[in-house]
Amino acid sequence: MSEEEAKTAMSTKFDPQAVEQGMYQKWVDEGVFKPSGDEKAKPYSIVLPPPNVTGKLHLGHAWNTTLQDMLIRQKRMEGYDTLWLPGMDHAGIATQAKVEAMLQDEGISRYDLGREKFIQQVWDWKDKFAATIHEQWAKLGLSLDYDRETFTLDDGVSKAVRKVFVDLYNQGLIYRAKYIINWDPQARTALSDIEVEHKDDKGAFYHVKYQFTGDTTFAGKDYIEIATTRPETMFGDVAVAVNPSDERYKDLVGKTVIVPLVNREIPIIADHYVSPDFGTGMVKITPAHDPNDFKVGKRHDLAEINTMNEDASLNENAGKYNGMDRFEARKAIADDLEAADAMLKVEPIVHSVGHSERTGVQVEARLSTQWFVKMKPLAEAALKNQQTDDAVNFVPERFEKTFSRWMEDVHDWVISRQLWWGHRIPAWYNKHTGEMYVGETAPKDIENWEQDPDVLDTWFSSGLWPFTTMGWPDTDSHDFKRYFPTSTMVTGYDLVFFWISRMIFQSLHFTGRRPFKDVLLHGLIRDEQGRKMSKSLGNGIDPMDVIDQYGADALRWSLSTGTTPGQDERFSYDKMDGSWKFVNKIWNASRYVIMNLGEMEKPELPAESDWNLADRWILARLNKTVAAVRENYDKYNFGEANRSLYDFIWNDFCDWYIEMSKETLTGDNEQAKQNTRNVLAYVLDQFLRLLHPVMPFVTEKIWLSMPHEGKSLVTAAYPEVHAEFTNENAESDMEHLIEIIKAVRNIRAEAGAPLGNPVDILIKTKDTDLQRVLENNREYLDRFGHPQKLEIGANVSVPDLAMTAVVTDAEVSIPLAELIDLHEEVQRLTKEVEKFQAEVDRAKLKLANEKFVANAPATVVDEERSKQADNEQKLVAAKKRLADVQAALDD
């Protein structure tokens, strides 16, 4: 054995760690993941959704990247010029929050360090977790082109981000304004609407007296009743509003009331925003702390009084509550209102409250000067493009409606973040004149200018990902011209709003093209009980731990099997056990084949004239499997593709063809042996290629251990459908043979007759073609049935004391006078009759359904009719056999 052969030899026991060891680095060193460079080949490209450098990859990442790797590996083998471009996202608020939490444990804040030193701390964090993510990508076997790896803060991306910002600003699509935004008081930054999660929290309606000024009364009282859930914002009240059509309050418009505790006079105004049917029909207007109130305030030229600091503590406008935490202040204010006889009642409620998606704290509506993207024209262009040939294809299609609904109801996007980690906004303010300058480069007299301290929302830069990674804004760059638009984007359905929509409208606006042809949307990974994985539930699974236990191939198989596009998936260790058993089955079957190949140099089929029935059958089944896998990959139905592979490998190849090959390989016909070795090797080679995209490690190890041409399965040719393999007759003949063998096995098992005990096997059939098949393949019946005597024909005489199974076009009987009881045989045959009768009745009912016959595909209807005819035939035979046994009992 040569040194190379020693490296690739298969051990007697499957060990995933030994199989995987060193293989990934070998692939990287050999450069097999890089684009082929063949300009004549059709390009196929995927950009990896960049994981956040906030920590390790989780099981959802493993699922997402496995699906991408399956696509890219298959396309590479199909001869496409493939590019799978990796990268990571700086993830502004998420990463900064992680680093701030780490520093907090050390008793340090970012303000103690200052901006420059803090950012260096974040870079150190990024480097640490980027290294971890690289190790995880390798462990998963991802065939990425690392030479093109991109980080969202790389110089090239930063240049593109600045250009996009400046262009949008000059086009009037980016503006700076004072507006009510969602505010995260822990991260101390603005949030976009989709970064806010609404959760049910316990709260209360505080019903407060607002005293009239002068001698005004209403309904005999000198006050009006105002209900609020946030009494801590009342110091920002500037009016009370009623609906102008509300007859109850028309005489109060223009009167004034006093804000409790601060004794500030505010007017009662009329505005259509107020619903007369909600509560009392009177609402307080606090423009600095409510988006609707802000609009009312603009319409009525009202003051905007902010009562909170950045950390949501109350400020000097809150009087004696200055400096208090918002929730502490709420309690103190409620107590003081009670003491001042200004509280009418406190009504406990459960209501939906916005929380920061990143930090989890309750957000505040806060008046703030921010940068915004004017979304309407961008959204309209994206919606219009979906009616063209350049539309993005959503898989599943229903998610296009989700995308469209959001784009139709989109709001302007707040893109500035009060963070230090991220793309700094390219705007400067003159220290002397206050003039603002927006540009891709800093002003020349930089000493007179101060740059805007804010950074851009992470999604602003990641929305440019498909084209900035390809070299844009250099539209002449090789990658941009060759690989953009990209082919497929694979991501979770929860990112339709956050990311998919932004990539689409940014790409259309700046490149004039869709960012990708298809977007494949998958669901969430859930635990065995269907719960979302989370730290609080303690049900999270580290994919690296799973790989250590089962191997990467078993994890990849488990994640991609039983999945449907757009649906959530449940992870279970039972499923992992099944996946490992399948990989182990492949290993052992392959080892058997390789041990029997002798001095073969490469897998090469014998002449078609030398194929026996088993050969013709396995090649026909292989052909159908190739067609099914290719078709389902094209439809992104990976679960169905895997099911086809599993059925072929486990059932057709391992359970039947390999077992049938043993009859030939232990015989004396050397030519037949060589033919069988060649077919074994060819089929093994082909299904290893089919399996490689989902199980890269074990398939590469086996392939390198067997006769082969080429240096790696990564770049080997993918199997194709061969017309000459199609053979419906061989499939039908083998199905009959297998059905009869199974019938013999079942009878033996039921009667307790071990395979080692020879028995008479009687096969009664009037079908001359079936007789021919059985006579020509007696060796298989001998091997699998172990008959003492084997009779096949139309006039086979079956004794009364026999067990009989009814199969398609035949009856299989075994005389077992010493082993069975005629009464038990009657019971067994009665059950058979009932079973076939139920099948016949079911088929009749289904075929009597006019809607089914009219709407189902013709092939499905024909298949149902064929089943009915087959079961009717079996029913007749079973009834006759039952009558014969019953007659024997009566005698």
Side-chain angles (χ1 to χ4, degrees):
M1 182 182 287
S2 69
E3 184 180 347
E4 185 61 29
E5 288 173 328
K7 287 180 184 176
T8 57
M10 294 177 68
S11 62
T12 56
K13 184 179 179 183
F14 172 58
D15 178 358
Q17 278 70 38
V19 167
E20 294 165 16
Q21 188 175 14
M23 190 175 290
Y24 190 81
Q25 192 57 49
K26 178 175 178 287
W27 284 330
V28 172
D29 292 344
E30 291 176 351
V32 292
F33 297 159
K34 298 180 187 302
S36 66
D38 181 0
E39 293 294 323
K40 295 179 182 178
K42 189 175 179 180
Y44 183 92
S45 58
I46 296 177
V47 288
L48 179 81
N52 295 344
V53 288
T54 47
K56 299 177 181 179
L57 302 181
H58 52 64
L59 206 56
H61 288 116
W63 184 21
N64 173 268
T65 53
T66 292
L67 299 184
Q68 291 172 73
D69 198 32
M70 290 169 67
L71 285 170
I72 211 78
R73 283 181 182 272
Q74 189 215 35
K75 294 298 182 185
R76 185 184 293 120
M77 295 175 75
E78 285 183 335
Y80 285 77
D81 177 25
T82 56
L83 168 61
W84 189 16
L85 193 150
M88 301 182 202
D89 199 321
H90 67 280
I93 188 171
T95 307
Q96 179 159 321
K98 289 278 189 182
V99 176
E100 287 200 76
M102 177 188 72
L103 293 173
Q104 190 175 7
D105 291 340
E106 300 171 13
I108 305 171
S109 77
R110 61 167 154 150
Y111 304 103
D112 295 329
L113 292 176
R115 187 166 193 145
E116 191 174 326
K117 288 184 178 179
F118 174 77
I119 289 175
Q120 185 55 53
Q121 288 273 352
V122 189
W123 275 109
D124 292 344
W125 173 283
K126 177 264 178 187
D127 291 343
K128 174 185 174 183
F129 282 98
T132 300
I133 290 169
H134 279 131
E135 291 171 5
Q136 293 179 300
W137 284 345
K139 208 165 179 178
L140 282 162
L142 308 185
S143 56
L144 300 157
D145 180 6
Y146 290 101
D147 287 352
R148 288 173 166 84
E149 184 177 351
T150 306
F151 183 54
T152 51
L153 289 180
D154 282 350
D155 289 345
V157 178
S158 296
K159 178 183 176 183
V161 168
R162 289 193 299 271
K163 174 176 172 53
V164 166
F165 185 97
V166 173
D167 285 358
L168 289 173
Y169 176 80
N170 290 334
Q171 293 160 11
L173 293 173
I174 279 184
Y175 63 94
R176 188 170 185 252
K178 195 174 186 182
Y179 204 78
I180 288 281
I181 45 87
N182 301 298
W183 183 261
D184 181 329
Q186 181 171 311
R188 300 189 190 186
T189 183
L191 301 173
S192 66
D193 290 343
I194 57 175
E195 290 173 305
V196 177
E197 298 176 323
H198 285 83
K199 302 176 185 177
D200 284 344
D201 278 351
K202 290 180 180 179
F205 266 127
Y206 299 86
H207 295 259
V208 183
K209 294 179 183 178
Y210 279 56
Q211 298 281 156
F212 287 112
T213 57
D215 56 2
T216 304
T217 60
F218 176 73
K221 297 174 182 175
D222 62 352
Y223 63 85
I224 57 172
E225 179 180 335
I226 296 294
T228 179
T229 58
R230 301 162 70 211
E232 66 275 13
T233 65
M234 61 192 293
F235 307 114
D237 292 354
V238 294
V240 169
V242 298
N243 192 289
S245 63
D246 194 332
E247 290 292 325
R248 294 173 295 174
Y249 304 131
K250 63 179 182 178
D251 293 336
L252 293 182
V253 176
K255 305 294 184 182
T256 57
V257 291
I258 300 295
V259 179
L261 303 182
V262 289
N263 298 321
R264 181 158 42 78
E265 189 175 340
I266 60 174
I268 297 175
I269 63 173
D271 194 280
H272 285 286
Y273 154 66
V274 183
S275 171
D277 301 325
F278 182 75
T280 63
M282 286 186 164
V283 296
K284 69 188 192 74
I285 302 299
T286 318
H289 293 282
D290 183 277
N292 292 312
D293 291 5
F294 177 78
K295 294 174 184 175
V296 174
K298 288 297 183 189
R299 285 196 290 271
H300 295 269
D301 197 25
L302 299 173
E304 296 161 347
I305 304 173
N306 181 16
T307 68
M308 286 191 186
N309 296 310
E310 289 184 353
D311 62 357
S313 62
L314 271 62
N315 64 19
E316 65 278 1
N317 290 324
K320 73 172 191 175
Y321 309 100
N322 183 13
M324 291 183 70
D325 170 77
R326 54 181 165 165
F327 300 121
E328 292 176 5
R330 181 180 298 177
K331 185 178 184 306
I333 291 165
D335 290 343
D336 289 348
L337 287 169
E338 289 278 5
D341 193 30
M343 183 77 79
L344 289 165
K345 63 177 178 179
V346 178
E347 178 186 358
I349 60 168
V350 174
H351 59 152
S352 181
V353 179
H355 292 71
S356 169
E357 183 219 9
R358 294 301 183 187
T359 64
V361 301
Q362 278 191 21
V363 300
E364 287 289 340
R366 188 169 189 264
L367 187 63
S368 179
T369 300
Q370 302 287 344
W371 290 89
F372 296 86
V373 171
K374 194 178 291 184
M375 283 299 305
K376 189 175 180 182
L378 297 169
E380 287 175 347
L383 288 168
K384 185 178 180 181
N385 189 70
Q386 286 304 106
Q387 309 305 314
T388 72
D389 292 340
D390 203 45
V392 172
N393 302 313
F394 284 78
V395 183
E397 190 178 340
R398 67 180 184 273
F399 285 105
E400 182 172 0
K401 293 180 181 176
T402 305
F403 164 77
S404 296
R405 279 196 304 270
W406 190 72
M407 297 303 276
E408 286 163 358
D409 192 37
V410 76
H411 304 291
D412 283 1
W413 172 21
V414 55
I415 55 171
S416 46
R417 297 291 182 269
Q418 289 63 55
L419 304 170
W420 291 350
W421 173 246
H423 291 281
R424 192 91 174 259
I425 288 176
W428 287 261
Y429 308 100
N430 192 289
K431 296 176 184 177
H432 310 295
T433 66
E435 173 193 358
M436 183 173 74
Y437 160 77
V438 174
E440 293 182 50
T441 57
K444 292 180 180 178
D445 55 334
I446 188 64
E447 66 278 3
N448 295 317
W449 298 82
E450 187 172 351
Q451 188 172 0
D452 194 306
D454 291 350
V455 300
L456 288 163
D457 178 13
T458 305
W459 299 107
F460 190 90
S461 52
S462 58
L464 314 175
W465 189 246
F467 53 97
T468 54
T469 51
M470 299 294 178
W472 189 93
D474 179 6
T475 53
D476 289 328
S477 73
H478 170 269
D479 284 0
F480 184 79
K481 292 168 74 173
R482 177 76 173 152
Y483 301 111
F484 183 83
T486 62
S487 305
T488 307
M489 168 59 64
V490 184
T491 189
Y493 60 60
D494 55 328
L495 292 182
V496 171
F497 308 134
F498 284 100
W499 194 36
I500 298 299
S501 59
R502 286 170 176 157
M503 286 189 284
I504 291 173
F505 70 69
Q506 299 267 54
S507 179
L508 289 171
H509 191 75
F510 286 99
T511 73
R513 294 295 311 277
R514 61 188 174 186
F516 27 75
K517 177 179 176 287
D518 298 334
V519 54
L520 171 61
L521 296 158
H522 57 75
L524 303 173
I525 286 279
R526 298 184 179 274
D527 69 9
E528 208 163 353
Q529 299 173 42
R531 301 175 302 175
K532 189 175 179 179
M533 292 186 177
S534 66
K535 288 182 180 178
S536 59
L537 289 174
N539 62 346
I541 303 289
D542 186 337
M544 301 304 115
D545 292 342
V546 179
I547 291 174
D548 288 341
Q549 184 176 352
Y550 294 94
D553 293 312
L555 175 61
R556 289 167 62 112
W557 178 264
S558 178
L559 291 173
S560 58
T561 300
T563 65
T564 305
Q567 299 298 315
D568 292 347
E569 179 175 0
R570 295 189 182 191
F571 175 87
S572 78
Y573 281 104
D574 284 345
K575 193 175 175 184
M576 282 304 309
D577 289 337
S579 298
W580 187 90
K581 287 175 183 174
F582 181 48
V583 184
N584 189 55
K585 180 90 168 180
I586 294 165
W587 181 266
N588 290 331
S590 302
R591 188 169 176 274
Y592 164 80
V593 172
I594 292 168
M595 286 170 59
N596 282 281
L597 295 183
E599 299 302 315
M600 184 185 297
E601 292 184 5
K602 66 176 182 177
E604 201 165 35
L605 281 176
E608 190 173 343
S609 58
D610 291 331
W611 299 351
N612 62 26
L613 173 61
D615 299 335
R616 296 197 302 275
W617 170 73
I618 198 66
L619 291 171
R621 294 294 301 131
L622 172 65
N623 219 33
K624 283 192 172 178
T625 304
V626 171
V629 171
R630 278 181 167 273
E631 180 184 353
N632 282 303
Y633 263 69
D634 288 345
K635 293 178 179 177
Y636 303 111
N637 286 328
F638 302 114
E640 280 300 298
N642 285 358
R643 185 185 62 78
S644 298
L645 277 168
Y646 180 92
D647 288 346
F648 174 76
I649 294 167
W650 192 294
N651 299 326
D652 298 341
F653 188 71
C654 295
D655 286 355
W656 290 103
Y657 187 75
I658 281 183
E659 292 305 313
M660 288 178 170
S661 75
K662 292 176 182 177
E663 182 67 24
T664 306
L665 294 176
T666 54
D668 298 325
N669 187 328
E670 290 302 322
Q671 184 58 52
K673 285 183 181 181
Q674 191 55 43
N675 289 345
T676 296
R677 290 189 190 105
N678 282 327
V679 175
L680 279 168
Y682 178 82
V683 175
L684 175 59
D685 170 88
Q686 291 294 290
F687 84 62
L688 288 174
R689 293 169 190 247
L690 286 175
L691 262 179
H692 180 73
V694 63
M695 290 186 186
F697 290 104
V698 73
T699 52
E700 176 84 320
K701 178 67 175 178
I702 295 169
W703 193 75
L704 291 175
S705 303
M706 69 180 288
H708 65 275
E709 285 187 318
K711 66 178 181 179
S712 174
L713 197 51
V714 175
T715 51
Y718 200 69
E720 296 181 359
V721 173
H722 295 280
E724 66 271 23
F725 290 176
T726 300
N727 196 324
E728 296 294 338
N729 290 333
E731 288 194 71
S732 177
D733 291 348
M734 184 59 77
E735 283 170 11
H736 278 97
L737 188 60
I738 288 173
E739 187 181 16
I740 287 170
I741 292 169
K742 285 180 176 178
V744 171
R745 286 175 170 175
N746 290 340
I747 292 173
R748 278 182 168 278
E750 195 167 339
L755 191 60
N757 294 351
V759 294
D760 292 350
I761 298 176
L762 312 174
I763 303 173
K764 188 174 183 177
T765 177
K766 296 177 182 178
D767 188 317
T768 54
D769 286 335
L770 180 56
Q771 288 180 32
R772 173 186 51 77
V773 170
L774 297 177
E775 289 291 355
N776 290 342
N777 292 279
R778 272 180 171 264
E779 69 272 20
Y780 297 132
L781 295 172
D782 288 340
R783 180 175 185 84
F784 294 108
H786 199 191
Q788 181 171 269
K789 178 177 73 173
L790 174 62
E791 288 188 37
I792 303 166
N795 300 312
V796 171
S797 178
V798 180
D800 294 336
L801 289 177
M803 289 185 70
T804 302
V806 179
V807 298
T808 304
D809 298 325
E811 294 177 45
V812 181
S813 301
I814 299 179
L816 294 171
E818 297 86 13
L819 295 176
I820 70 164
D821 183 296
L822 284 181
H823 293 283
E824 290 179 358
E825 182 67 353
V826 166
Q827 291 177 353
R828 189 185 70 79
L829 285 168
T830 300
K831 289 179 181 177
E832 287 253 294
V833 168
E834 291 171 352
K835 180 182 77 174
F836 293 134
Q837 185 67 60
E839 284 298 311
V840 168
D841 292 344
R842 182 199 61 77
K844 283 182 177 178
L845 191 65
K846 196 167 187 178
L847 290 167
N849 185 334
E850 293 179 2
K851 287 185 178 179
F852 168 73
V853 175
N855 298 324
T859 53
V860 174
V861 176
D862 290 343
E863 186 180 353
E864 196 62 41
R865 287 183 175 135
S866 177
K867 283 182 187 176
Q868 181 187 4
D870 186 41
N871 284 316
E872 283 176 341
Q873 186 184 45
K874 289 177 179 177
L875 176 62
V876 170
K879 280 182 174 179
K880 184 179 183 305
R881 186 63 191 146
L882 176 59
D884 291 343
V885 176
Q886 190 69 57
L889 266 178
D890 293 341
D891 291 342

